Amino acid sequence: MTTILPTYTGVLRGTGTESSMLSAMHGQSEGVLWGSRIQLEKQLQVISVLQWILSFLIMGAACTVALIYLFCTDFWLIAAVYTVWLIYDWNTPKQAGRRTSWVRNWTLWTYFRDYFPIRLVKTHNLSPSRNYIFGYHPHGIFCFGAFCNFSTDVNGFLKKFPGIKPFVTTLAGNFKMPIVRDYLMSVGICPVTRDTIDYILSQNGTGNAVVIVVGGAAESLGCTQGVNRVTLKNRKGFVKVALQKGADLVPVFSFGENEVYRQLVFEEGSILSLFQKKVQKLVGVAPCLFHGRGLFSAESWGFMPYCRPITSVVGEPITVPKIENPSEEVVDHYHTMYMNSLGELFDKYKTEFGMRESDVLVIQ
């Protein structure tokens, strides 16, 4: 037995089997660690998107209730101080807000971007000596592409468009809720009101880009997978503002924005469709019936979006003259130019970003 063991050991050493076994064990260990790291990143991606959805859906109501509750506790002084600050700071959102580079560059947004993933594509240079209105299409359910590309810096907007500062606009009601207003302002989001847009384009210098989701909540009611439809034909207000302020118009189309959720779209004119539109007009938010994947499994239903690529392509700017009182004919002229430019942008890049050559952009 003592003779056999040394001989067997020598064979192992001679053939390199022992070394191979150790290498295999080491490789397996690295594989386990690598797999664990990937799994952790996936979980962080889910958490990053989840917190954003919950912030959008319930953070405002939760913070309002919490502030009222604090007034009924021993911490009422904290609530009182914040309320005084809220009153003092009430008009800040209308005056370009209060963005913070630190918040816009949170690592959290990197995981948010990689969940889908989301990309930003530049097609033309933008001069920092001009102001711009970016028309973002389509709305989708949550405007993931607009938020990631223009309210955070994880896709390098400031490097791709040096000297340009983006301001994403959203419902003014969001800025009446405590804490939420500060959170939104920290990433450069402002109210989509005439006063705010006028201030940014006329009293904030040059190099400003106001991002407007032109189709708004009404457009979200018709968004669904495989459908490329935007609400634009009768949306001319942003063109009139561009003319009055001399701000160039820039079409932006996000390929994949409609693919991350599946929505139940009711037939036009039906009772449920009319109900949705009525609620949307009353409160400004469209009551969409949609679903995505589950929180813990891609195979189950839930409110998490599907992992589908979203690519926001920033098109060529349309030079707009400054006309304080533009006629209806002039507004229509530039509105038509904008619609044509958006259609050309869609046709040029649709096959590159996952669509078929036969796909058509429907402008309604």
Side-chain angles (χ1 to χ4, degrees), residues 97-168:
R98 187 173 46 247
R99 71 176 57 215
T100 305
S101 296
W102 175 65
V103 178
R104 288 174 61 91
N105 286 284
W106 277 352
T107 303
L108 176 74
W109 308 132
T110 301
Y111 293 114
F112 181 94
R113 174 197 66 194
D114 294 341
Y115 175 91
F116 296 93
I118 298 173
R119 293 176 56 199
L120 175 65
V121 175
K122 169 186 174 180
T123 62
H124 292 79
N125 292 325
L126 299 180
S127 171
S129 64
R130 299 283 294 175
N131 282 326
Y132 303 90
I133 291 181
F134 284 18
Y136 184 88
H137 314 269
H139 184 287
I141 298 295
F142 286 112
C143 297
F144 290 116
F147 173 79
C148 183
N149 287 317
F150 306 119
S151 290
T152 79
D153 295 326
V154 294
N155 273 339
F157 180 91
L158 299 181
K159 291 182 179 178
K160 292 179 179 180
F161 301 99
I164 306 299
K165 185 183 293 185
F167 295 87
V168 175

Side-chain angles (χ1 to χ4, degrees), residues 265-277:
V265 179
F266 299 108
E267 185 178 350
E268 188 69 24
S270 66
I271 295 177
L272 291 175
S273 175
L274 293 173
F275 172 76
Q276 285 181 311
K277 291 180 179 180

Side-chain angles (χ1 to χ4, degrees), residues 47-88:
I47 291 171
S48 67
V49 176
L50 176 62
Q51 70 81 30
W52 192 87
I53 293 174
L54 293 179
S55 296
F56 181 85
L57 293 177
I58 66 173
M59 186 177 178
C63 290
T64 302
V65 171
L67 183 65
I68 296 172
Y69 173 75
L70 283 177
F71 273 109
C72 303
T73 68
D74 294 336
F75 300 100
W76 65 268
L77 185 59
I78 296 175
V81 170
Y82 181 80
T83 301
V84 172
W85 162 253
L86 192 64
I87 296 171
Y88 172 79

Side-chain angles (χ1 to χ4, degrees), residues 314-328:
V314 181
E316 181 177 5
I318 301 170
T319 303
V320 175
K322 185 175 181 179
I323 305 174
E324 290 187 7
N325 295 299
S327 65
E328 187 175 338

Side-chain angles (χ1 to χ4, degrees), residues 229-240:
R229 185 187 299 116
V230 298
T231 302
L232 179 58
K233 277 188 177 179
N234 297 318
R235 302 292 175 101
K236 302 178 182 180
F238 73 104
V239 177
K240 186 175 182 179

